[in-house]
Amino acid sequence: MKKWNMETKRKALKLNIIYAMVQGIFWFAYCAAGSFATVFLQSAGYSNTELGLIISAACVFAVIVPTVVSPVIDKSEKLSTSHVVIASLVLQMIIGLLIVFFAQKGFMMSLCYLIFAGIMYMNNAFCTQIAIDHSSEGCRVNYGFSRAFGSFIFVFASAIIGKLLERYSYKVLPLTSVIMQGILILLIIAMAVMDGCMKQKKITDEGTAEKGSGLFEFLRENKYFTILLLGIVILFASFNYVDVYMINLIEDLGGNATDMGYIFSVYAFLEIPAMLLWARFSEGRLATGILMMTFFMFTMRQFVFLFAGNVSTLYFGGIFQFLSYGIYTPAIVDYILKTIPLKDSTKAQSLAGSVTIIGMVLACTIGGYLTDVTSSHSVLSGFSYISIIGTAICVFAVAKTVIRPRN
């Protein structure tokens, strides 16, 4: 028994190291192609409205594909989340190279970037599910630590990419992302081989594999989770406006892309302790209360940007980044594990990711158009007050949810 325990611990340690690297490389790639997407598309000749439509279309892609694929994964004994991620990354690399080739405003460029970004947004939730898939045989993957490592890498990625943009062409953004995606494929394969499988069966308390329910049946059975999803859409519409049009907000205050890189770095760095410390607060009603607190902090973060008088003031918003997104990220994963049956976990995680993307659609389409016809500050003002409504809905839904005890 002792030997088995030692082997299990070594296996768990190796899996956690590899998965932490998965998160780190994913967020490096995301930083290059996602966080700096506005910079890239503006440099390629797109207006705020046009780039908003492209990113919105990418978000729609990222919502529709997981909605179709996740129920299939939940019901399948052969298809795994890892299979889906690897296949999508190969496609993303090919398209990324085409983007480097075109790199100017046009139909092919728009179509390629749409798919490229859509796959990236989609894989955020799927990479989270990989941790759950590999935690069902006694070798639990520490998601909070791994996601914190992702933010740690994002810190350096933001600063490095900001400097690369000063020295080289904006084409460095998709090229950097393609390199990271190639590394990510190797890490996911290594994790799967080490664990001896590409998919862990979802097992019920009776010891038999149980298939997940259909999407609409799932939403009916989990009405408060459905309400929570609505609130998250509204909350992240406001949140994502700041992230997508950060360069506009910073330029209004006299800053540039380098300042944006540093601000992203500070925010990512401040997410790390929140994610690392989450395990200490992830039991009982305290965890629920903390999750509800994050919804208030999302709104507070918006008002920091709204009333900022200079670029330096924006660094202060990092405190609310710590208390909002930093804690929310591991907390929502933990919340789903506590409230949603394991047979529906892939579906629930995908939906939680998809609604944040729907929020981005609203931020990009409405926000992009209004930014062109009014000003980024005026649009930010509207989104900030709308954020209050999203916070109220989220708090109501979580307060009504019954938390299942951990096994």
Side-chain angles (χ1 to χ4, degrees):
M1 178 64 73
K2 183 176 181 180
K3 180 179 179 181
W4 184 88
N5 285 335
M6 289 300 295
E7 290 177 353
T8 302
K9 288 179 180 179
R10 283 195 293 268
K11 177 182 175 182
L13 177 61
K14 291 178 181 178
L15 282 173
N16 274 279
I17 291 173
I18 296 176
Y19 184 70
M21 294 173 66
V22 166
Q23 284 289 332
I25 297 301
F26 173 82
W27 285 104
F28 199 120
Y30 187 100
C31 181
S35 297
F36 283 83
T38 301
V39 175
F40 177 81
L41 291 172
Q42 285 180 343
S43 299
Y46 291 89
S47 68
N48 288 311
T49 301
E50 290 169 337
L51 70 87
L53 290 173
I54 292 173
I55 296 175
S56 296
C59 292
V60 172
F61 174 95
V63 170
I64 293 175
V65 174
T67 300
V68 174
V69 174
S70 295
V72 176
I73 296 175
D74 279 331
K75 294 179 179 181
S76 174
E77 295 296 327
K78 295 181 179 180
L79 182 65
S80 75
T81 307
S82 295
H83 286 128
V84 173
V85 174
I86 291 171
S88 66
L89 286 171
V90 171
L91 175 60
Q92 192 177 22
M93 290 178 67
I94 295 172
I95 295 174
L97 293 175
L98 291 175
I99 290 173
V100 176
F101 176 77
F102 291 112
Q104 286 295 329
K105 179 180 175 181
F107 174 77
M108 286 302 299
M109 172 66 178
S110 301
L111 179 62
C112 285
Y113 206 89
L114 184 163
I115 300 173
F116 184 77
I119 293 173
M120 179 180 60
Y121 298 143
M122 174 187 76
N123 279 339
N124 187 11
F126 281 148
C127 283
T128 298
Q129 183 60 32
I130 287 176
I132 297 173
D133 286 347
H134 288 276
S135 293
S136 60
E137 293 260 334
C139 297
R140 179 167 291 279
V141 175
N142 188 329
Y143 177 78
F145 169 80
S146 299
R147 183 60 183 81
F149 184 74
S151 291
F152 179 73
I153 295 299
F154 192 96
V155 170
F156 294 99
S158 299
I160 292 170
I161 291 169
K163 286 296 183 181
L164 287 175
L165 281 170
E166 283 187 343
R167 174 171 281 189
Y168 302 107
S169 164
Y170 63 96
K171 295 180 182 180
V172 74
L173 294 172
L175 185 60
T176 300
S177 187
V178 166
I179 294 171
M180 294 299 110
Q181 287 147 14
I183 298 173
L184 187 57
I185 289 173
L186 297 178
L187 290 172
I188 293 174
I189 292 174
M191 190 174 182
V193 170
M194 180 174 295
D195 207 19
C197 65
M198 291 288 277
K199 181 178 178 71
Q200 302 289 354
K201 292 181 180 179
K202 298 175 177 64
I203 307 298
T204 64
D205 293 336
E206 288 75 23
T208 58
E210 185 176 3
K211 295 183 178 180
S213 58
L215 176 61
F216 295 106
E217 179 185 356
F218 168 79
L219 294 174
R220 287 195 302 269
E221 292 174 349
N222 300 274
K223 62 179 181 178
Y224 289 117
F225 182 70
T226 303
I227 294 173
L228 175 62
L229 294 177
L230 173 62
I232 293 174
V233 168
I234 299 172
L235 201 60
F236 271 78
S238 177
F239 178 82
N240 282 316
Y241 178 77
V242 169
D243 278 12
V244 172
Y245 294 100
M246 175 80 78
I247 187 64
N248 297 66
L249 300 172
I250 289 176
E251 287 177 346
D252 286 347
L253 297 174
N256 54 35
T258 301
D259 293 314
M260 185 176 78
Y262 287 143
I263 289 173
F264 275 140
S265 295
V266 170
Y267 282 19
F269 180 79
L270 290 173
E271 292 172 3
I272 296 172
M275 295 174 183
L276 289 176
L277 292 172
W278 172 251
R280 292 180 174 270
F281 307 102
S282 60
E283 297 293 340
R285 299 304 299 180
L286 176 61
T288 303
I290 294 175
L291 177 59
M292 289 191 286
M293 178 273 294
T294 67
F295 300 135
F296 288 100
M297 295 301 105
F298 273 109
T299 296
M300 293 299 295
R301 176 183 181 271
Q302 299 307 110
F303 281 96
V304 168
F305 277 85
L306 180 61
F307 295 116
N310 51 58
V311 173
S312 299
T313 307
L314 299 182
Y315 288 97
F316 176 70
I319 297 173
F320 298 101
Q321 184 80 4
F322 166 85
L323 294 172
S324 59
Y325 189 75
I327 296 177
Y328 169 84
T329 301
I332 193 65
V333 174
D334 192 63
Y335 172 83
I336 290 172
L337 289 175
K338 290 177 178 178
T339 59
I340 304 298
L342 187 60
K343 65 186 178 71
D344 290 317
S345 62
T346 303
K347 193 163 30 265
Q349 295 291 351
S350 294
L351 285 169
S354 294
V355 292
T356 66
I357 296 172
I358 293 173
M360 185 179 289
V361 171
L362 297 175
C364 292
T365 52
I366 299 173
Y369 172 75
L370 292 177
T371 298
D372 278 338
V373 299
T374 57
S375 69
S376 55
H377 188 271
S378 297
V379 180
L380 176 61
S381 177
F383 274 119
S384 296
Y385 289 105
I386 289 173
S387 179
I388 297 174
I389 299 174
T391 292
I393 294 174
C394 289
V395 170
F396 168 79
V398 172
K400 289 290 186 179
T401 304
V402 176
I403 304 295
R404 297 184 294 110
R406 284 179 184 246
N407 293 328

